[in-house]
Amino acid sequence: MKTNPYLTFKDNELAKSKILARELNISGNDFITIQNWFDLLLLKHEEATSDKELQLKTEKELETQFNELISSEIERKSYKYILPKLLNYNNEFNGAFLRSLYVARLGALLENNLIPKFVNDKMIVYSPEDFFHVTMYLKDNYFVSPNSNFLEDTLKIEHVRSIFKQATTKVKFETLRNILHIIYQKSFHHDIVCFKKILKLVSEADIELIDYLKKFQVENKQGCYKIINGILNLDLAEDKWDDFLIKVQLINFLDTARNANPTPSWNKKIQELSVTVGNDKLLQTANAVLENENCKIHEFDYGAQWSDDVAKRFLKSAQWIKRFCHE
């Protein structure tokens, strides 16, 4: 007998929700009331047809019920519990586990309406420990959709509220390790935008996090992360923090080769790096990157091949760096 994916998702999500609600101190009444709305959302997703008018009607009804829920039926402090659930359901609606492409309107309700409102609402407050528990809830997924802004919105919750400014190095590390685990699971890495945002969050005190980043690899063994891993494990400076800062600069720079030839901004930046980092280190990095010429194409287990555009940008920048250093 074939397993119903909706039932599988509902059961697994409910188990995770109970843990999250307990950690965030959500009342039993609010937990049930909120779950009733998400159960209805999931049911409507499962029952939806390709009838656009009916989809719009369903979307409007769900939105009305959601607004009633948050305006009068639950405590305001329970909003912080709703937001990660919205992110989770939206990611699943954009994935391949449920009937994603068939019912795009419900994705629009979450992604273009409810999620931005909640992500940007600074009145929804998270302590560093709260946010850690949010990432525990979000970290394991059937599929991480590139269309759901799942990672971007998770990081934006922190960015809007500057949560890590109050966090201990331990809580910050454990939280970012959870978010890195979401990156790890992606079936294909179209870009490294969220990884670069994580690099930007690292401070000198985050010794354990820096060590973890040096060991970080992704599940699909994609070339761009193989190259990044190589860069992070080079010896570019004696001081550990200076060494890391140089590598972050270089990773950001290497990802900018988007044209057939160096742009004026790329040329300006290489001139700066030539002074601040030095040509020897630039060449050392470029040579390490160029050892990965075979990383331009990513091959999936089932035989399909996709262009790894990030790896291509890194390799192109490395070629240009060599040319610049030898001029």
Side-chain angles (χ1 to χ4, degrees):
M1 187 174 146
K2 193 179 177 187
T3 308
N4 180 342
Y6 281 86
L7 200 54
T8 302
F9 171 70
K10 184 178 178 179
D11 288 348
N12 291 346
E13 195 279 330
L14 184 60
K16 291 198 297 183
S17 287
K18 285 176 180 174
I19 297 167
L20 179 63
R22 185 182 70 235
E23 298 295 350
L24 297 182
N25 294 315
I26 305 304
S27 71
N29 283 340
D30 281 10
F31 175 81
I32 292 165
T33 307
I34 291 164
Q35 195 59 45
N36 287 341
W37 185 84
F38 279 98
D39 286 349
L40 181 63
L41 173 69
L42 195 61
L43 178 67
K44 294 297 183 184
H45 192 279
E46 185 177 10
E47 290 178 344
T49 69
S50 55
D51 184 327
K52 290 290 180 191
E53 282 189 28
L54 194 57
Q55 282 190 35
L56 284 166
K57 182 172 177 283
T58 301
E59 180 188 354
K60 203 43 137 177
E61 287 170 356
L62 282 163
E63 184 182 4
T64 301
Q65 287 168 305
F66 183 84
N67 288 334
E68 287 170 1
L69 167 76
I70 62 171
S71 63
S72 61
E73 296 175 16
I74 61 169
E75 295 179 73
R76 186 169 174 89
K77 73 169 194 171
S78 295
Y79 289 15
K80 65 181 177 181
Y81 168 71
I82 291 175
L83 176 51
K85 285 174 72 73
L86 289 171
L87 297 187
N88 189 18
Y89 278 73
N90 187 50
N91 180 56
E92 290 305 332
F93 288 176
N94 278 281
F97 192 69
L98 306 176
R99 302 162 57 236
S100 59
L101 299 177
Y102 201 40
V103 277
R105 284 306 317 177
L106 291 187
L109 168 65
L110 303 185
E111 196 172 316
N112 304 332
N113 184 346
L114 306 183
I115 289 172
K117 283 179 188 171
F118 270 54
V119 167
N120 292 305
D121 184 353
K122 291 183 182 180
M123 296 295 285
I124 302 174
V125 178
Y126 292 95
S127 70
E129 290 74 20
D130 288 341
F131 189 54
F132 163 72
H133 291 298
V134 164
T135 61
M136 283 296 291
Y137 165 83
L138 293 173
K139 76 174 206 174
D140 290 308
N141 303 275
Y142 302 106
F143 178 76
V144 180
S145 171
N147 303 315
S148 67
N149 283 336
F150 185 53
L151 274 160
E152 291 84 351
D153 285 330
T154 302
L155 286 165
K156 196 171 180 185
I157 292 171
E158 190 286 323
H159 179 70
V160 166
R161 295 160 183 80
S162 301
I163 297 167
F164 288 144
K165 283 187 178 175
Q166 286 81 45
T168 63
T169 53
K170 184 175 186 294
V171 169
K172 181 181 174 184
F173 166 60
E174 289 174 348
T175 303
L176 285 173
R177 185 171 60 185
N178 287 341
I179 298 173
L180 284 163
H181 185 69
I182 301 172
I183 293 176
Y184 165 84
Q185 292 168 74
K186 290 181 79 171
S187 58
F188 187 77
H189 303 271
H190 297 272
D191 58 53
I192 54 165
V193 171
C194 289
F195 185 78
K196 289 191 292 187
K197 285 179 180 177
I198 289 173
L199 293 180
K200 199 174 175 182
L201 289 166
V202 180
S203 69
E204 190 172 358
D206 297 320
I207 297 163
E208 196 175 4
L209 176 58
I210 292 170
D211 288 342
Y212 186 80
L213 285 163
K214 288 170 79 170
K215 295 172 194 157
F216 181 72
Q217 296 277 11
V218 288
E219 190 171 25
N220 74 346
K221 299 181 171 55
Q222 197 170 322
C224 56
Y225 277 100
K226 183 173 178 281
I227 292 171
I228 289 167
N229 180 261
I231 294 168
L232 288 173
N233 284 283
L234 292 172
D235 289 318
L236 298 180
E238 282 187 32
D239 180 85
K240 276 193 170 185
W241 179 238
D242 288 343
D243 182 71
F244 182 75
L245 287 177
I246 290 168
K247 290 166 182 175
V248 172
Q249 279 191 80
L250 293 175
I251 287 166
N252 281 298
F253 176 60
L254 287 159
D255 195 32
T256 61
R258 295 179 180 272
N259 300 74
N261 295 297
T263 59
S265 62
W266 193 96
N267 284 327
K268 184 182 176 187
K269 189 65 183 176
I270 191 74
Q271 297 281 356
E272 288 174 18
L273 290 171
S274 178
V275 175
T276 57
V277 174
N279 283 7
D280 287 349
K281 288 169 189 168
L282 286 170
L283 263 178
Q284 183 186 348
T285 307
N287 287 329
V289 171
L290 290 169
E291 289 174 10
N292 298 279
E293 276 289 343
N294 62 338
C295 289
K296 291 179 181 177
I297 303 295
H298 177 72
E299 186 167 341
F300 291 87
D301 293 339
Y302 57 89
Q305 294 185 333
W306 285 11
S307 171
D308 187 336
D309 292 340
V310 179
K312 284 183 176 179
R313 288 196 289 274
F314 274 64
L315 288 160
K316 201 190 294 182
S317 278
Q319 295 276 16
W320 295 348
I321 287 168
K322 280 195 81 169
R323 194 167 68 202
F324 170 85
C325 291
H326 288 137
E327 280 176 352

